[in-house]
Amino acid sequence: MPELPEVETVRRGIAPTLVGKTLLGARVRQPSLRWPVPADLDARLKGRQVHALERRGKYLLARLDQGTLILHLGMSGSLRLVPPECAPEKHDHVDIIAEGERILRYRYPRRFGAILLSDAPEQHPLIADLGLEPLAAEFDGDWLFALTRGRSGPIKPLLMNASLLVGVGNIYANESLFRAGIHPETPAGRLSRARCARLVVSIRSTLEQAILAG
């Protein structure tokens, strides 16, 4: 499953091509993803300009001059920029067409991903309850220390709780804890402020290195 670093790598890869461009529409070959692709996707994208491409957890948010396109890669989906003459293959379900006829092609064999539109993405049910971004300035040792107070459960599942902290999946939680010298089953409430600060540094560096490697 694509985790935060993989999604951030995709964002950085396609943003230079899409941001500032006007969309010409969309071609939907398979509307039945995890949630139905909006039936009016082509009409609602046509003529809209992409102002920014952001990531929230594992979701990509294409901020348009009217509305926001929400994309999720699910467990094995991909987004690729292809030339217009590139013929779609079996699992290429949606094309988003930008000026210059650059095509953002969404491929997903299992169809567990999502392509949605929202006028208020921060209030969308998929986004509203997401926790803090681990690469945000607010994620520091003091924040983690305060979060862990009074918690008797192990630290690893707390790090993986997306309603508290987004994007730290199983592999990255294990690696971060190992680097910080903290056993995954250590009760969260027993971590000192210094160990929380060390763990934050470890999480940041683990994710950033994964992004650079991507």
Side-chain angles (χ1 to χ4, degrees), residues 37-55:
V37 177
D40 58 351
L41 183 67
D42 177 60
R44 292 179 65 183
L45 292 185
K46 195 168 294 183
R48 301 273 70 86
Q49 188 178 57
V50 181
H51 288 318
L53 184 63
E54 303 169 0
R55 179 191 51 74

Side-chain angles (χ1 to χ4, degrees), residues 35 79 97 135 173:
W35 296 276
L79 285 168
I97 308 163
L135 300 181

